[in-house]
Amino acid sequence: MAAERTLSIIKPDATRRNLTGAINQRFEEAGLRIVAQKRLQLTRAQAEAFYAVHRERPFFQDLVGFMISGPVVAQVLEGEGAVARNREVMGATDPAKADAGTIRKDFAENIEANSVHGSDSPENAATEIAFFFSQIEITG
Ligand code: ATP
Ligand code: MG
């Protein structure tokens, strides 16, 4: 499989608890390379735009409020099958259902404050990477 890129976000529950390094160690140990990275405070409008696919879900406003409750780290991970590999390392959305050894099992607080985001398809990865990064900000 060719090297692929995916968008990863370390969410506010994790930055608040100073877990950025511990989480990124999991990605690097899994063979994913951080090829772009920035720490930022999302505005409400930016968080709503990023999660627009979920705007009809009952938890949408809560989710947006959570995502702007502190800084996030947006990053591009690169590696073989990066989209699927990232989601394996992340674990299930609900930490109570996540496999042992996954980031969400070990670090997430609950189904909403679940420490990390990962793109769910190569197509969405391309859109989500372009949301945060320009071509010149991504290295090898
Ligand atoms: P992400 O897109 O953040 O990587 P995911 O793909 O595992 O997570 P989605 O179904 O896309 O899960 O939901 C997006 C985010 O919305 C979840 O990561 C979580 O923060 C929040 N969320 C999902 N389901 C619920 C729920 N039932 N109650 C509260 N928040 C939820
Ligand atoms: Mg998702």
Side-chain angles (χ1 to χ4, degrees):
M1 206 188 287
E4 192 173 74
R5 287 176 175 171
T6 191
L7 192 276
S8 164
I9 301 176
I10 300 178
K11 295 184 179 182
D13 67 287
T15 60
R16 188 181 306 121
R17 288 176 290 149
N18 212 21
L19 291 170
T20 299
I23 288 172
N24 278 334
Q25 185 172 4
R26 302 290 181 96
F27 294 134
E28 292 184 340
E29 282 170 359
L32 293 165
R33 180 175 293 273
I34 301 164
V35 297
Q37 189 177 55
K38 58 176 79 164
R39 183 176 176 103
L40 65 161
Q41 171 67 53
L42 291 173
T43 64
R44 182 171 296 275
Q46 287 167 341
E48 286 176 354
F50 183 76
Y51 274 124
V53 292
H54 294 311
R55 67 182 169 273
E56 305 302 334
R57 310 273 286 271
F59 56 80
F60 180 68
Q61 282 307 328
D62 271 1
L63 174 61
V64 168
F66 162 63
M67 290 299 287
I68 65 173
S69 67
V72 299
V73 178
Q75 49 195 16
V76 179
L77 305 180
E78 184 179 85
E80 278 199 15
V83 171
R85 189 87 192 97
N86 179 38
R87 288 185 68 91
E88 271 171 35
V89 177
M90 287 164 55
T93 310
D94 181 354
K97 296 180 182 151
D99 289 342
T102 61
I103 290 170
R104 283 166 167 169
K105 181 69 171 186
D106 291 344
F107 299 122
E109 294 182 323
N110 54 57
I111 192 171
E112 178 179 85
N114 60 5
S115 301
V116 281
H117 161 85
S119 307
D120 59 12
S121 68
E123 296 70 30
N124 287 340
T127 306
E128 292 179 0
I129 289 169
F131 185 91
F132 284 102
F133 297 97
S134 63
Q135 195 130 24
I136 203 168
E137 295 177 301
I138 305 172
T139 67

